[in-house]
Amino acid sequence: MINQTQGTMNKRLPIKSAVMVEIGTDGSATRTTLYERQRKRRGSKRMRPFEKALRRMAEAQSTAANSYLDRHERSNRKKKNGWVKDLSKNISKSSRKGLKKLKMRWI
């Protein structure tokens, strides 16, 4: 008969990282990471496609917003009230850039 507590004590612990330490001639130590364990993804398998789509939409919106802000500032520097004159062009170009980042395969 095997003792249950003894079985758990014999389990091997996973290695988190392996580091090589080198000592220089002046006594300083330098560390070099040889191996670092990859962490497992958190979240259920069923939710991953939704997370991926949501992340992709957020990145696309961020890209579009940054693109619009750059265009807005450039138009404002070029002409007086330039941001108003170039509003439709700036919005359409930045939204197109966001859609490219989104990579909408279903449309």
Side-chain angles (χ1 to χ4, degrees), residues 64-81:
N66 290 335
S67 174
Y68 174 75
L69 284 175
D70 292 341
R71 292 178 177 283
H72 175 86
E73 290 171 3
R74 192 178 321 132
S75 295
N76 220 7
R77 279 194 306 264
K78 282 185 175 183
K79 300 176 188 172
K80 182 178 182 181
N81 294 331

Side-chain angles (χ1 to χ4, degrees), residues 31-82:
R31 296 174 45 166
T32 307
T33 304
L34 302 174
Y35 168 78
E36 203 162 11
R37 183 178 63 159
Q38 298 291 327
R39 292 182 175 249
K40 288 185 178 181
R41 289 189 177 210
R42 303 282 297 175
S44 64
K45 200 169 190 176
R46 289 182 180 169
M47 297 306 286
R48 284 186 195 151
F50 297 110
E51 181 200 0
K52 190 175 181 181
L54 189 62
R55 180 180 298 274
R56 186 177 281 171
M57 284 191 292
E59 287 176 355
Q61 285 179 346
S62 175
T63 301
N66 290 335
S67 174
Y68 174 75
L69 284 175
D70 292 341
R71 292 178 177 283
H72 175 86
E73 290 171 3
R74 192 178 321 132
S75 295
N76 220 7
R77 279 194 306 264
K78 282 185 175 183
K79 300 176 188 172
K80 182 178 182 181
N81 294 331

